[in-house]
Amino acid sequence: MCGICAEIRFDGQSASPDRISQMSACLARRGPDGGGQVVRGRVGLGHRRLKIIDLSEKAEQPMVDAELGLTIAFNGCIYNYSELRRELEGKGYRFFSTGDTEVILKAYHAYGPDCVKRFLGMFAFVIHERDSGRVVLARDRFGIKPLYLSHNAERLYVASSLPALLRTGDVDTSIDRVALHHYMSFHAVVPAPLTILKGVRKLPPATVRVVERDGSFKDEVYWSAPFGPRLGDEKLKPDDWRDLVLESLRTAVARRMVADVPVGVLLSGGVDSSLIVGLLAEAGQAGLTTFSIGFEEANDEKGDEFIYSDLVANHYGTKHHKIFVPSSELMEHLPGTIGAMSEPMVSYDNVGFYLLSREVSQHVKVVQSGQGADEIFGGYHWYPPMAGAADPVSTYASAFIDRSDAVLRRQLSPDWLAEGDESRAFVERHFAMPGATDPVDKALRIDANVMLVDDPVKRVDNMTMAWGLEARVPFLDHELVELAARIPAAEKLKQEGKGVLKEAARLVVPHAVIDRPKGYFPVPQLKYISGPYLDMVRDHLRSEPARARGLFQESYLETLYADPSAHITPLRGSELWQVALLEMWLQQHGVGG
């Protein structure tokens, strides 16, 4: 897990070591254990290193294989690298290091861009072919590892974070109106390849991009989970699905223990993280370290779930750390949290993950986390209404879309309106794609491939890497996801959601953490904004940069200031926090209008 960056020129100029250094400096917290760069003519690669596998200097990056004529900057972890190495050694390849980075280089040489189909893991990488001048970019199946791009006729910049690209001073920072529509309507999710800035795009998940010497490129999407039954699935009973899920999850959790350093677990006390702890204990992992976080109550809403995380920690005898964050410290660390965001992310639990990661990074470098289970196994409240829906798009939109296009046009200033209802049109296009004939599967597919990537997954990556901490997400093992996509929707919707996963969990963890109300990562102070929090957001929205930008109609903002708690989105989000967070992010990263 690291930070990578690159500059590739198409105009006859050389890549700039200084620009590579500027981008790398912005990525330093992602890789606090070292850094390096390789600049050769028109191509320069930079890297910041977090030592997880092969702690020696032989694994330093960018890694150059002079014999093969390849150079790579890689971020992530290939869990099956040992098996792939043996396979490649059988083909005659010789290795000078013991980690996964060199395995990618050899696999690319052996199999070309199709090598990504052999990787089990999370990754984003840039490979430069010395002889052809070609550059290849790739991102893992769920976009767990980020890859931001700024591409024009003269050059291509690549980096693990959007702010790193801004360090070049050569990026169009004007706001993208379509992306703004998504941010305001699609629960702050801006689908790839868009970002909030016109001059920055992100490589979509499960995509390989081959960039030729002249700047032309071609993309290949190399994976997608087929939703719906396979031949013979109709014979499977509920217990069969339960057993298949448990066995697949056992494999996924075991894969993510690959490391040359200790691995901990982020334990919320919910089914998902508790099951990870249970499976690790079942597999004989001794001395497990677990971590939970809580906040002060606000508006009579509890700010922690320690009762459940304590239950699991005590049951398995983990070395458990509880972090309680008082309101004063929450306010203090909001600027740091926003600074760690590659894109504006409105979910309250960003600050929770940020502060949790600060504590965790003092004890371990790698953790497993439960993100993805709700999107894969049907845990959210908007999935049951989808069952048998006559109009799936409208049913989904009524639960997930924060505000209609008509309402948004009364809230955004006229200069910032998109041409049409971009967010609903996006859902319509996605739902119309082949496959996923069941309305529930349509919702699960868009959530797994879009919402999950650009909300929970991005949030966990950004907040953990801000403290040099690697987070691994076993529920996004692509073989587990392929299995889940086959399971009938009715099995997933049982027991108020995630029924088949809960049945698997009953064979492993205490039932008290299963038969409980669904929780989430609560930060009540940012949902029910008042007192100093209200002063803070109002100051930002009334500041000179915000007034000059003029994103929102003043009458709308005054309505929010008057009674913030009265304006909560369908997904329990604060409208005031949503608009304020966007402006705070733009100001913190020095972005103009």
Side-chain angles (χ1 to χ4, degrees):
M1 193 81 89
C2 309
I4 64 175
C5 59
E7 178 182 0
I8 300 97
R9 305 297 307 192
F10 313 120
D11 56 2
Q13 295 188 30
S14 296
S16 164
D18 182 61
R19 276 193 291 266
I20 298 292
S21 295
Q22 290 293 325
M23 288 191 283
S24 292
C26 189
L27 299 169
R29 292 181 70 172
R30 294 184 69 93
D33 296 334
Q37 65 173 254
V38 172
V39 181
R40 290 196 177 126
R42 52 180 287 274
V43 177
L45 305 182
H47 187 266
R48 292 295 313 188
R49 186 179 182 194
L50 178 65
K51 294 182 179 180
I52 302 296
I53 294 175
D54 189 349
L55 309 184
S56 75
E57 296 310 306
K58 292 180 179 179
E60 66 183 4
Q61 295 190 54
M63 180 177 283
V64 179
D65 191 318
E67 183 179 354
L68 301 183
L70 299 174
T71 304
I72 186 172
F74 158 58
N75 169 29
C77 183
I78 307 300
Y79 304 126
N80 63 329
Y81 78 95
S82 294
E83 298 92 320
L84 290 172
R85 178 183 175 123
R86 289 192 293 271
E87 176 185 313
L88 291 161
E89 286 174 331
K91 289 179 172 290
Y93 286 94
R94 297 171 297 175
F95 288 79
F96 52 80
S97 68
T98 61
D100 51 351
T101 305
E102 190 182 0
V103 170
I104 297 176
L105 276 181
K106 263 63 172 184
Y108 177 79
H109 187 266
Y111 308 115
D114 278 350
C115 66
V116 294
K117 299 176 182 177
R118 298 170 180 261
F119 298 156
L120 302 176
M122 52 184 183
F123 54 86
F125 61 75
V126 182
I127 290 178
H128 175 225
E129 297 181 0
R130 178 189 61 205
D131 297 336
S132 70
R134 187 177 295 121
V135 171
V136 177
L137 316 175
R139 197 173 177 203
D140 65 67
R141 294 167 179 85
F142 284 98
I144 300 169
K145 293 293 97 195
L147 203 60
Y148 290 89
L149 318 170
S150 180
H151 194 169
N152 62 26
E154 288 76 38
R155 83 306 181 265
L156 167 64
Y157 300 132
V158 183
S160 294
S161 78
L162 188 156
L165 296 179
L166 300 182
R167 292 289 186 94
T168 66
D170 183 29
V171 173
D172 179 0
T173 60
S174 56
I175 292 173
D176 187 304
R177 286 168 175 75
V178 174
L180 178 60
H181 194 289
H182 287 314
Y183 176 87
M184 292 296 292
S185 294
F186 200 36
H187 198 53
V189 173
V190 177
L194 299 178
T195 77
I196 198 68
L197 304 183
K198 283 184 180 179
V200 180
R201 293 295 180 253
K202 52 205 176 200
L203 188 71
T207 300
V208 175
R209 175 170 295 182
V210 178
V211 184
E212 302 296 342
R213 184 183 285 273
D214 63 0
S216 63
F217 65 88
K218 184 177 181 180
D219 285 358
E220 180 190 352
V221 178
Y222 63 87
W223 179 86
S224 63
F227 278 80
R230 294 182 186 174
L231 186 64
D233 281 354
E234 70 279 357
K235 299 176 184 177
L236 297 177
K237 297 179 172 57
D239 286 356
D240 296 323
W241 288 119
R242 175 201 64 194
D243 294 345
L244 286 169
V245 166
L246 186 56
E247 188 57 34
S248 184
L249 188 56
R250 279 194 181 105
T251 300
V253 170
R255 281 175 179 158
R256 284 154 183 79
M257 290 303 290
V258 172
D260 293 333
V261 294
V263 179
V265 181
L266 302 182
L267 177 61
S268 69
V271 175
D272 313 327
S273 60
S274 300
L275 186 49
I276 293 171
V277 173
L279 290 175
L280 289 171
E282 176 189 88
Q285 291 289 334
L288 273 175
T289 306
T290 52
F291 305 86
S292 302
I293 193 167
F295 301 89
E296 288 183 19
E297 293 186 10
N299 206 40
D300 296 322
E301 186 167 311
K302 193 169 176 58
D304 69 73
E305 295 189 311
F306 287 151
I307 184 174
Y308 298 110
S309 57
D310 284 353
L311 189 158
V312 174
N314 292 334
H315 182 82
Y316 292 108
T318 71
K319 184 178 180 182
H320 190 52
H321 299 260
K322 286 194 296 187
I323 303 104
F324 179 77
V325 182
S327 182
S328 58
E329 191 172 355
L330 178 66
M331 172 78 80
E332 176 188 344
H333 287 282
L334 276 175
T337 303
I338 295 168
M341 296 178 183
S342 274
E343 299 175 69
M345 293 184 287
V346 74
S347 297
Y348 310 128
D349 57 2
N350 279 290
V351 68
F353 274 110
Y354 181 80
L355 292 171
L356 179 60
S357 300
R358 179 188 62 169
E359 173 68 20
V360 174
S361 66
Q362 298 175 35
H363 301 274
V364 296
K365 282 188 172 184
V366 184
V367 289
Q368 295 206 34
S369 185
Q371 275 65 42
D374 287 303
E375 294 85 352
I376 303 306
F377 287 101
Y380 290 126
H381 69 270
W382 57 87
Y383 298 132
M386 295 296 296
D391 183 354
V393 171
S394 294
T395 303
Y396 181 84
S398 67
F400 194 83
I401 299 293
D402 285 337
R403 48 179 66 74
S404 69
D405 182 66
V407 170
L408 182 59
R409 290 179 180 276
R410 298 195 297 268
Q411 297 174 349
L412 285 179
S413 297
D415 289 345
W416 292 107
L417 293 171
E419 289 187 9
D421 190 348
E422 298 289 347
S423 300
R424 187 181 179 97
F426 179 85
V427 175
E428 289 173 348
R429 290 194 300 273
H430 209 283
F431 276 29
M433 292 165 55
T437 56
D438 187 298
V440 176
D441 282 343
K442 290 180 185 294
L444 288 169
R445 184 175 63 179
I446 195 173
D447 287 353
N449 289 292
V450 181
M451 183 271 282
L452 177 64
V453 173
D454 275 294
D455 189 4
V457 163
K458 181 166 61 184
R459 183 188 330 151
V460 172
D461 172 83
N462 285 191
M463 298 305 126
T464 54
M465 291 307 293
W467 297 99
L469 177 68
E470 175 175 314
R472 299 175 175 180
V473 279
F475 284 102
L476 296 187
D477 185 282
H478 80 274
E479 292 177 348
L480 175 64
V481 173
E482 288 172 353
L483 170 63
R486 293 163 47 198
I487 299 173
E491 293 299 323
K492 287 178 272 200
L493 296 184
K494 287 179 178 178
Q495 301 180 48
E496 299 182 338
K498 294 193 293 192
V500 65
L501 183 64
K502 290 175 180 177
E503 284 304 301
R506 291 183 195 283
L507 301 179
V508 180
V509 302
H511 290 197
V513 301
I514 302 169
D515 301 318
R516 50 160 288 197
K518 179 175 174 58
Y520 64 103
F521 213 159
V523 187
Q525 290 88 349
L526 301 183
K527 178 178 178 180
Y528 304 107
I529 296 174
S530 62
Y533 293 93
L534 180 56
D535 294 338
M536 174 188 66
V537 301
R538 190 163 43 200
D539 287 347
H540 277 87
L541 288 165
R542 287 177 171 173
S543 67
E544 184 55 38
R547 290 184 180 277
R549 203 179 335 263
L551 291 176
F552 307 104
Q553 297 195 31
E554 198 61 38
S555 58
Y556 172 54
L557 294 179
E558 291 300 328
T559 300
L560 296 181
Y561 301 148
D563 191 359
S565 298
H567 299 276
I568 304 296
T569 69
L571 291 180
R572 301 191 298 243
S574 163
E575 289 190 38
L576 180 55
W577 179 246
Q578 186 178 32
V579 301
L581 185 279
L582 174 59
E583 186 59 50
M584 292 162 75
W585 185 90
L586 293 169
Q587 291 181 31
Q588 184 149 342
H589 292 288
V591 175

